[in-house]
Amino acid sequence: MKKILLLFLAINCLECVPNHGPVVMAPSGPLRGVRADEGDFTMYLGVPYGVVDENNPFGDAKPPPKFTSVFEAVSNPTICPQHGGVASGDINCLNLNIYVPNHIKPKERLPVMFYIPGGAFIGNNANRNKLGPELLIKHDVIIVAINYRAGIYGFLCLDIPGYSNQGLKDQVLALKWMKDNIESFGGDPNRVTVFGQSAGAMSIDILFLVKEPLFQRAIIQSGVALTPWVIAKMNNSVPINVAKELGFKGDDVKAALDYLKTFKATDVLEATNSLKIYDTNNHPLTKPCVEKESKGAILTDHPANLKPKVKDLDILIGHAYREATFRYPVSDESYYENYTFDIELSQDFNEIVDESYVRHFYIKDQKPSLELRQKILDFASDFAFAHPTERTVDKYLEAGARNVYRYLFTYQGDRNTGSKRMNITDGAIHGDDKAYLWNSDIFAEKPNAADQKIIEIMTKLWTDFAKYGNPTPSGPTDLIPVKWEPVVGERRPFLVIDEPLSMENRLFNERMVFWDMYYKLHTDKVEGKRT
């Protein structure tokens, strides 16, 4: 009898094999994960949330069929097609990674943090080597991170229905899959915090405009829908020109799409990359856009004209100190001597506006130069990040958001990856905050003591917000010696994330007042605004 019992256990306990996680019986079917080598959690990797039609790779994805046998979610999935020096990825890439604490109790429901990675809308990578969950998952939350289509496959903007904003539609599909299935992993579908950085944050803000959200809270890091360069204009030439690079003859956009679908995604990406498909400000032409109204259309008006659907939602929003630094050279004297402020201004105004007011406000009557680089970066960061965030906070409050928490990330440490890459020492820049929330293979050594403290602070703030809708629910503590107050009416408190932490009021107030007045002065010329 004992031998029979042992044989039965051996056959029916594959999850007992070292590193094999338990089989989860989800509405989508059974899935088996793998236990992390380091950290007390189980990973469900490469779980499909959507299927792209190989005969229509630029069109809408569909929900995947249910698993008829156990899906082995045990290895990093394929990323979506993108070009990071070399073309990589595959069109069958709509997958997500789920990370679950091992000590979760039966019938316990943990808050869920659903991450949309950035990548300038031309790429993204949610795999564990890029987004390791170890720092966040220690705080008893479930983490979900998604891959979605980008570039030519995800963000064409065409005047024929059914081909625009596919990356955004993928995100909605992933949110629906998560909402339907996450309870089987121990997650609470009614306590979902969507968070993202850069293009991921901008995507979340756009999703606020589309329909009633599939989540209860949001964390928006370094980017909003009103960031000037986010919304593209319709442009049928992109797929036509790429197809011509591969031998296509003609000028019909649908014929060009049909031609492109016969090529491997990597070939299409190499052709796209060789054409340098960017606008005059070096932003990719493949981005979210206002599409024609049709069944399935996701954004049918410019964000500036729309009211966000955030009533009774909790939102945490902010950015780094000098965000725009990542787009500017460090020591190119000729660049700054020839700098004109309308390089940035032209991105948000549909007519030429007089730059003299802006130039005088930031550098007085001085001629642009390398010595004035910090002032120029203040201008670029205010215009593209700080003031759009300020205006977005106003929109959230007007639309009835329950709580809006504002922050400014100023800490400079060894994990500030953007600053380190550019050898920047005069202010935290775009992307510098990510490594205090996520692990990555680029960090071979453990964090130093100062960086570890910022990790502990940020992960505690972010996960407490996910749990309670309040990043400091217990008030000041030894680790976080401040109470983070939400924005209320004319009171504009914000948390400065640095060592030490501090609460201040009215971020860059004089500069924000200037931009308020500037937009009022030129309101008839603002891109997307109805006159």
Side-chain angles (χ1 to χ4, degrees), residues 76 128-132 134 438-445:
N76 265 327
R128 189 191 175 194
N129 60 317
K130 297 287 186 181
L131 296 174
E134 294 84 358
W438 297 98
N439 255 343
S440 169
D441 284 357
I442 65 172
F443 300 113
E445 299 179 358

Side-chain angles (χ1 to χ4, degrees), residues 216-334:
Q216 290 70 46
R217 292 162 189 149
I219 301 174
I220 295 176
Q221 300 173 225
S222 302
V224 292
L226 295 181
T227 297
W229 52 265
V230 171
I231 303 300
K233 294 186 173 77
M234 283 189 177
N235 191 333
N236 285 358
S237 69
V238 171
I240 292 172
N241 289 338
V242 174
K244 286 181 176 179
E245 186 76 3
L246 292 168
F248 176 70
K249 308 293 183 185
D251 292 298
D252 179 76
V253 64
K254 186 62 171 66
L257 293 171
D258 288 339
Y259 184 79
L260 288 173
K261 75 183 183 183
T262 66
F263 289 84
K264 292 190 300 183
T266 50
D267 292 336
V268 174
L269 288 173
E270 291 292 3
T272 305
N273 189 63
S274 67
L275 291 173
K276 306 298 180 188
I277 299 177
Y278 295 91
D279 63 20
T280 55
N281 293 297
N282 204 34
H283 294 301
L285 294 177
T286 48
K287 295 181 294 189
C289 67
V290 178
E291 56 187 304
K292 286 191 172 181
E293 292 198 30
S294 63
K295 183 180 179 181
I298 199 164
L299 185 64
T300 56
D301 200 351
H302 194 283
N305 300 327
L306 298 172
K307 179 180 178 181
K309 297 175 175 62
V310 296
K311 185 173 173 56
D312 297 328
L313 264 63
D314 300 308
I315 301 168
L316 192 154
I317 184 170
H319 51 79
Y321 182 65
R322 283 201 177 100
E323 281 279 349
T325 302
F326 78 107
R327 293 176 45 227
Y328 281 72
V330 176
S331 57
D332 187 336
E333 291 188 9
S334 63

Side-chain angles (χ1 to χ4, degrees), residues 133-368:
E134 294 84 358
L135 308 180
L136 287 164
I137 206 164
K138 290 179 180 178
H139 297 276
D140 288 338
V141 293
I142 288 176
I143 307 292
V144 180
I146 69 167
N147 290 317
Y148 58 95
R149 282 175 291 175
I152 192 170
Y153 288 101
F155 289 101
L156 287 174
C157 189
L158 309 179
D159 65 4
I160 54 176
Y163 293 97
S164 303
N165 295 327
Q166 293 299 347
L168 295 174
K169 296 169 188 176
D170 292 348
Q171 295 166 13
V172 172
L173 195 61
L175 279 164
K176 288 179 177 177
W177 188 97
M178 181 273 308
K179 189 171 181 63
D180 292 340
N181 289 273
I182 201 64
E183 193 168 2
S184 301
F185 296 84
D188 186 345
N190 297 311
R191 278 197 297 167
V192 175
T193 298
V194 174
F195 67 130
Q197 188 266 344
S198 192
M202 297 161 185
S203 296
I204 295 168
D205 196 29
I206 293 172
L207 294 182
F208 279 147
L209 308 171
V210 175
K211 55 186 70 178
E212 298 304 321
L214 295 163
F215 45 87
Q216 290 70 46
R217 292 162 189 149
I219 301 174
I220 295 176
Q221 300 173 225
S222 302
V224 292
L226 295 181
T227 297
W229 52 265
V230 171
I231 303 300
K233 294 186 173 77
M234 283 189 177
N235 191 333
N236 285 358
S237 69
V238 171
I240 292 172
N241 289 338
V242 174
K244 286 181 176 179
E245 186 76 3
L246 292 168
F248 176 70
K249 308 293 183 185
D251 292 298
D252 179 76
V253 64
K254 186 62 171 66
L257 293 171
D258 288 339
Y259 184 79
L260 288 173
K261 75 183 183 183
T262 66
F263 289 84
K264 292 190 300 183
T266 50
D267 292 336
V268 174
L269 288 173
E270 291 292 3
T272 305
N273 189 63
S274 67
L275 291 173
K276 306 298 180 188
I277 299 177
Y278 295 91
D279 63 20
T280 55
N281 293 297
N282 204 34
H283 294 301
L285 294 177
T286 48
K287 295 181 294 189
C289 67
V290 178
E291 56 187 304
K292 286 191 172 181
E293 292 198 30
S294 63
K295 183 180 179 181
I298 199 164
L299 185 64
T300 56
D301 200 351
H302 194 283
N305 300 327
L306 298 172
K307 179 180 178 181
K309 297 175 175 62
V310 296
K311 185 173 173 56
D312 297 328
L313 264 63
D314 300 308
I315 301 168
L316 192 154
I317 184 170
H319 51 79
Y321 182 65
R322 283 201 177 100
E323 281 279 349
T325 302
F326 78 107
R327 293 176 45 227
Y328 281 72
V330 176
S331 57
D332 187 336
E333 291 188 9
S334 63
Y335 176 88
Y336 290 101
E337 288 171 357
N338 294 294
Y339 186 82
T340 59
F341 285 78
D342 58 14
I343 289 174
E344 297 283 352
L345 293 173
S346 63
Q347 297 174 88
D348 208 28
F349 295 91
N350 52 29
E351 296 178 32
I352 299 298
V353 296
D354 187 352
E355 69 159 18
S356 61
Y357 299 108
V358 178
R359 185 175 65 248
H360 186 268
F361 179 78
Y362 281 92
I363 64 172
K364 308 306 180 195
D365 294 323
Q366 300 175 83
K367 185 180 183 300

